[in-house]
Amino acid sequence: MLSSNELEPLVRKCIAGDGKAWSDLVDRFQSLVYSVPRRMGLTEDDAADVFQATFLALYRNLDRIEAIATLPKWLTVTATRESYRHINSRYAKSTANLGETDLDTFLADEDHSVEEQLVLAATGEALRLGLENLQA
């Protein structure tokens, strides 16, 4: 994972339209974003749809995120909402109990799982980098 000192310049470059910076940002957070729909039981194809929708939302809103350090949490919450949206649109009959969770409970649960997701994403990133080094 990127530190706040590394993340802020990268985000500024993304906002300025730097395609390589955008690609680097997506690469850094792809494990985190993919982990959310997979944890929720979505298939790999459905997780790819959620991934795409999450990063499209980030692209559209990146300049509105005031505290860049909160970007991992923003991505996790957005991926969770996109996952629920995907579940509701694709599996309407199986989501009857999702409406019972109010927003406050949902956000409290997400606050607890964000750190867990960050640790998993960092571990995945370390594994990916290790494998790249072995192949080099």
Side-chain angles (χ1 to χ4, degrees), residues 58-125:
L58 178 62
Y59 179 79
R60 290 178 176 162
N61 295 290
L62 190 57
D63 61 337
R64 295 182 187 142
I65 298 174
E66 293 178 17
I68 300 304
T70 64
L71 182 60
K73 182 175 181 176
W74 188 96
L75 286 167
T76 302
V77 170
T78 302
T80 302
R81 289 178 181 161
E82 290 296 334
S83 295
Y84 278 129
R85 194 172 293 134
H86 193 78
I87 290 168
N88 283 329
S89 68
R90 188 148 181 182
Y91 307 108
K93 291 182 182 179
S94 65
T95 60
N97 63 343
L98 287 180
E100 296 172 6
T101 303
D102 67 349
L103 183 59
D104 290 334
T105 303
F106 168 76
L107 291 176
D109 289 345
E110 280 307 307
D111 280 340
H112 295 293
S113 67
V114 167
E115 285 187 34
E116 185 178 300
Q117 294 299 320
L118 289 172
V119 169
L120 290 172
T123 302
E125 178 71 10

Side-chain angles (χ1 to χ4, degrees), residues 2 5 24 27 29 45 51 54 57 62 70 72 116 120 125 134:
L2 294 172
N5 293 337
D24 290 346
D27 286 345
F29 290 104
D45 288 341
F51 175 86
T54 300
L62 190 57
T70 64
E116 185 178 300
L120 290 172
E125 178 71 10
L134 287 175

Side-chain angles (χ1 to χ4, degrees), residues 27-28 30 125-136:
D27 286 345
R28 298 293 179 183
Q30 68 182 358
E125 178 71 10
L127 285 171
R128 184 180 68 80
L129 291 173
L131 289 173
E132 284 178 6
N133 288 335
L134 287 175
Q135 292 175 353

